Amino acid sequence: MIDTLDQRVAEGEERIRLDVTDSGVGILTLCRPDKLNGWSWESSRQLGLLADRLRFDETVKVVLLRAEGRAFCAGIDVTAPGGAITGRSPAERTHRYYEGIRWAHERFAAFARLPQPVIAAVQGYCLGFGFELALMADIRVAADDAVFALPETGIGVAVDAGGDLRIARDAGAGWAKLLALTGRRIDAATAERIGLLQQVVPVGELEAAAGALAAEIAANAPLAVRSVKRAIDTFADAGLAEALDRAALAAALTLTSEDAREGYAAKAARRPPTFDGR
């Protein structure tokens, strides 16, 4: 893993960029388009740092999460440094994964629980963790070319950041199980129909539509807006913390399994995996 105590971001190593507009919109941009904005431990660290900065910035009334390039986020960047966690024994390696995932969950919670509403503007591939990140936003707007999936079970691991739980919250347990158990991809129209998106627009209109929505919310009374978000989240997320801890443990166990090793090897070799439950 990376140094979790480091509060700096080295020049040229930015995974997420923050810009604040004069109208009070904090724009978080995933800025690794050459990697399809693939996610890493370092991305999680930077998200947490920026969430802490936004939390106490009274000039920011709304947060807009967007991405550069043809994908919002295509999932985990398996080539990123620190991607694999080692241990002297299977038990130690599982423990380290569990603590690492719990640490990442704390960064995600800082983002998801921002006092300001968060709008996600999604285009292109929104897969695996990318889908989970978008689901952490309060409102989601997508281009009509967006594609969503949770492919984790197809490579032998559990969904680790709560995406399946948030789908169950927003679309129902049946849809959560269908998408997480099959890894099936859905288009923007389907995601809107089942309640995972609030608006779908043509690709060329995504920035304008998301920006207009952010401006509409930013024009309202900040204390009232933050109070409404907090009240709805308290109701909607009841039991989420306990479920996320269970997800972290399930992810740690599956990430250290023989099935996960086979799943990643098969994906790299572009062949069907052979799982045997070990």
Side-chain angles (χ1 to χ4, degrees), residues 4 20 34 104-105 126 132 137 146 167 180 204 246 258 266 276:
T4 58
V20 179
D34 57 319
H105 282 182
C126 186
E132 298 190 84
I167 294 172
R246 183 169 294 183
E258 292 297 320
D276 60 10

Side-chain angles (χ1 to χ4, degrees), residues 98 101-102 105 158-162 164-165 239-254:
Y98 176 57
I101 294 166
R102 288 181 64 235
H105 282 182
V159 180
D160 63 359
D164 48 353
L165 307 177
L240 183 62
E242 294 83 357
L244 281 171
D245 187 70
R246 183 169 294 183
L249 180 57
L253 290 170
T254 55

Side-chain angles (χ1 to χ4, degrees), residues 130-209:
F131 194 4
E132 298 190 84
L133 178 63
L135 289 164
M136 294 177 203
D138 299 294
I139 300 171
R140 291 168 290 279
V141 180
D144 55 12
D145 72 336
V147 178
F148 304 86
L150 293 176
E152 285 85 347
T153 56
I155 53 175
V157 298
V159 180
D160 63 359
D164 48 353
L165 307 177
R166 291 182 168 92
I167 294 172
R169 178 195 65 191
D170 293 347
W175 277 108
K177 291 174 182 177
L178 176 65
L179 296 178
L181 296 177
T182 66
R184 184 180 299 178
R185 294 186 178 189
I186 58 171
D187 59 18
T190 301
E192 182 182 36
R193 177 171 60 84
I194 66 177
L196 298 180
L197 296 175
Q198 283 64 60
Q199 188 177 2
V200 176
V201 298
V203 176
E205 299 177 16
L206 178 62
E207 295 289 334

Side-chain angles (χ1 to χ4, degrees), residues 39 72-76 122 125-135 149:
W39 202 258
F72 177 76
C73 173
I76 297 297
V122 179
Y125 292 119
C126 186
L127 309 176
F129 180 79
F131 194 4
E132 298 190 84
L133 178 63
L135 289 164

